[in-house]
Coordinates of all heavy atoms in Angstrom, one line a residue:
F33 N -45.6 -19.8 43.4 CA -45.3 -18.8 44.4 C -44.9 -17.4 43.9 O -45.4 -16.4 44.4 CB -44.3 -19.4 45.4 CG -44.7 -20.7 46.0 CD1 -43.9 -21.8 45.7 CD2 -45.8 -20.9 46.8 CE1 -44.2 -23.1 46.2 CE2 -46.1 -22.1 47.3 CZ -45.3 -23.2 47.0
H34 N -44.0 -17.4 43.0 CA -43.4 -16.2 42.5 C -44.3 -15.5 41.6 O -44.6 -14.3 41.8 CB -42.1 -16.5 41.8 CG -41.2 -15.4 41.4 ND1 -41.4 -14.5 40.4 CD2 -40.0 -14.9 42.0 CE1 -40.5 -13.6 40.3 NE2 -39.6 -13.8 41.3
Q35 N -44.8 -16.1 40.6 CA -45.7 -15.5 39.6 C -47.0 -15.0 40.2 O -47.4 -13.8 39.9 CB -46.0 -16.5 38.4 CG -46.6 -15.8 37.2 CD -45.7 -14.8 36.5 OE1 -44.5 -15.1 36.3 NE2 -46.3 -13.6 36.2
P36 N -47.7 -15.8 41.0 CA -48.9 -15.2 41.6 C -48.7 -13.9 42.4 O -49.6 -13.1 42.4 CB -49.4 -16.4 42.5 CG -48.8 -17.6 41.9 CD -47.5 -17.2 41.4
Y37 N -47.6 -13.8 43.1 CA -47.3 -12.6 43.9 C -47.2 -11.4 42.9 O -47.8 -10.4 43.2 CB -46.0 -12.8 44.6 CG -45.5 -11.6 45.4 CD1 -46.3 -11.1 46.5 CD2 -44.4 -10.9 45.0 CE1 -45.9 -10.0 47.2 CE2 -44.0 -9.8 45.8 CZ -44.7 -9.4 46.8 OH -44.3 -8.2 47.5
H38 N -46.4 -11.5 41.9 CA -46.3 -10.4 41.0 C -47.5 -10.2 40.2 O -47.8 -9.0 39.8 CB -45.0 -10.6 40.1 CG -43.8 -10.5 40.9 ND1 -43.3 -9.2 41.2 CD2 -42.9 -11.4 41.4 CE1 -42.2 -9.4 41.9 NE2 -41.9 -10.7 42.1
D39 N -48.3 -11.2 39.9 CA -49.5 -11.0 39.2 C -50.5 -10.2 40.1 O -51.3 -9.4 39.5 CB -50.2 -12.4 38.8 CG -49.5 -13.1 37.7 OD1 -48.7 -12.4 37.0 OD2 -49.8 -14.3 37.5
A40 N -50.5 -10.4 41.4 CA -51.4 -9.7 42.3 C -51.0 -8.2 42.3 O -51.9 -7.4 42.4 CB -51.3 -10.3 43.7
I41 N -49.7 -7.9 42.3 CA -49.3 -6.5 42.3 C -49.7 -5.9 41.0 O -50.3 -4.8 41.0 CB -47.8 -6.4 42.5 CG1 -47.3 -7.0 43.8 CG2 -47.3 -4.9 42.4 CD1 -45.8 -7.1 44.0
T42 N -49.5 -6.6 39.9 CA -49.9 -6.1 38.6 C -51.4 -5.8 38.5 O -51.8 -4.7 38.1 CB -49.5 -7.0 37.5 OG1 -48.0 -7.1 37.5 CG2 -50.0 -6.6 36.1
A43 N -52.2 -6.7 39.0 CA -53.6 -6.6 39.0 C -54.1 -5.4 39.8 O -55.0 -4.6 39.4 CB -54.3 -7.9 39.4
L44 N -53.5 -5.2 41.0 CA -53.9 -4.1 41.8 C -53.5 -2.8 41.2 O -54.3 -1.8 41.1 CB -53.2 -4.2 43.2 CG -53.4 -3.1 44.2 CD1 -54.9 -3.0 44.5 CD2 -52.6 -3.3 45.4
L45 N -52.3 -2.7 40.6 CA -51.9 -1.4 40.0 C -52.7 -1.1 38.7 O -53.0 0.0 38.4 CB -50.4 -1.4 39.7 CG -49.5 -1.4 41.0 CD1 -48.0 -1.7 40.6 CD2 -49.6 -0.1 41.8
D46 N -53.0 -2.2 38.0 CA -53.8 -2.0 36.8 C -55.2 -1.5 37.2 O -55.7 -0.5 36.5 CB -54.0 -3.4 36.1 CG -52.8 -3.8 35.2 OD1 -51.9 -3.0 35.1 OD2 -52.8 -4.9 34.8
A47 N -55.8 -2.0 38.2 CA -57.1 -1.6 38.6 C -57.1 -0.1 39.1 O -58.0 0.7 38.8 CB -57.7 -2.5 39.7
R48 N -56.1 0.3 39.8 CA -55.9 1.7 40.3 C -55.7 2.6 39.1 O -56.3 3.7 39.0 CB -54.8 1.8 41.3 CG -55.1 1.1 42.6 CD -53.9 1.0 43.5 NE -53.4 2.3 43.9 CZ -53.8 3.0 45.0 NH1 -54.7 2.4 45.8 NH2 -53.3 4.2 45.3
A49 N -54.9 2.2 38.1 CA -54.7 3.0 36.9 C -56.0 3.2 36.1 O -56.3 4.3 35.7 CB -53.6 2.4 36.1
A50 N -56.7 2.1 36.0 CA -58.0 2.2 35.3 C -59.0 3.1 35.9 O -59.8 3.8 35.3 CB -58.6 0.8 35.1
A51 N -58.9 3.2 37.3 CA -59.8 4.1 38.0 C -59.2 5.5 38.1 O -59.9 6.4 38.8 CB -60.0 3.5 39.4
G52 N -58.1 5.8 37.5 CA -57.5 7.1 37.6 C -56.9 7.4 39.0 O -56.8 8.6 39.3
Q53 N -56.5 6.4 39.7 CA -56.0 6.6 41.1 C -54.5 6.6 41.1 O -53.8 5.8 40.5 CB -56.5 5.4 41.9 CG -56.3 5.6 43.4 CD -57.1 4.5 44.2 OE1 -57.7 3.6 43.7 NE2 -57.1 4.7 45.5
E54 N -54.0 7.6 41.7 CA -52.5 7.7 41.9 C -51.9 6.6 42.7 O -52.5 6.1 43.6 CB -52.2 9.0 42.6 CG -50.7 9.2 42.9 CD -50.4 10.4 43.8 OE1 -51.4 11.1 44.3 OE2 -49.2 10.7 44.0
S55 N -50.7 6.1 42.3 CA -50.1 5.0 43.0 C -48.6 5.3 43.2 O -47.9 5.7 42.2 CB -50.2 3.7 42.2 OG -51.5 3.2 42.2
I56 N -48.2 5.3 44.4 CA -46.7 5.4 44.8 C -46.4 4.0 45.4 O -47.0 3.7 46.4 CB -46.5 6.5 45.7 CG1 -46.9 7.9 45.1 CG2 -45.0 6.5 46.2 CD1 -46.8 9.0 46.1
L57 N -45.4 3.3 44.8 CA -45.1 2.0 45.3 C -44.1 2.1 46.4 O -43.1 2.7 46.3 CB -44.5 1.2 44.1 CG -44.2 -0.3 44.5 CD1 -45.5 -1.1 44.6 CD2 -43.3 -0.9 43.4
V58 N -44.4 1.4 47.5 CA -43.6 1.4 48.7 C -43.3 -0.1 49.1 O -44.2 -0.8 49.5 CB -44.2 2.1 49.9 CG1 -43.3 2.1 51.1 CG2 -44.6 3.5 49.5
C59 N -42.0 -0.5 48.9 CA -41.6 -1.9 49.2 C -41.0 -1.9 50.6 O -40.0 -1.2 50.9 CB -40.6 -2.3 48.2 SG -41.1 -2.1 46.5
V60 N -41.6 -2.7 51.5 CA -41.2 -2.7 52.9 C -40.4 -3.9 53.3 O -40.8 -5.0 53.1 CB -42.4 -2.6 53.8 CG1 -42.0 -2.5 55.3 CG2 -43.3 -1.3 53.5
H61 N -39.2 -3.7 53.8 CA -38.3 -4.8 54.1 C -37.6 -4.5 55.5 O -37.7 -3.4 56.0 CB -37.1 -4.9 53.1 CG -37.5 -5.4 51.8 ND1 -37.3 -6.6 51.3 CD2 -38.2 -4.7 50.8 CE1 -37.8 -6.8 50.1 NE2 -38.3 -5.6 49.7
S62 N -37.0 -5.5 56.0 CA -36.1 -5.3 57.2 C -34.8 -6.0 57.0 O -34.7 -6.9 56.1 CB -36.8 -5.8 58.5 OG -36.8 -7.2 58.5

């Protein structure tokens, strides 16, 4: 449960970086 979640964030940010896409991380909580 924990590792797959963080792996998914890493993979998404890696893909955006490889594409030269800007990323601003927004963590949403209540």
Side-chain angles (χ1 to χ4, degrees):
F33 307 117
H34 193 283
Q35 192 65 45
Y37 176 68
H38 288 283
D39 285 349
I41 299 173
T42 296
L44 176 62
L45 292 172
D46 282 350
R48 290 170 64 91
Q53 193 169 3
E54 177 188 4
S55 291
I56 299 172
L57 186 71
V58 180
C59 307
V60 183
H61 291 256
S62 72

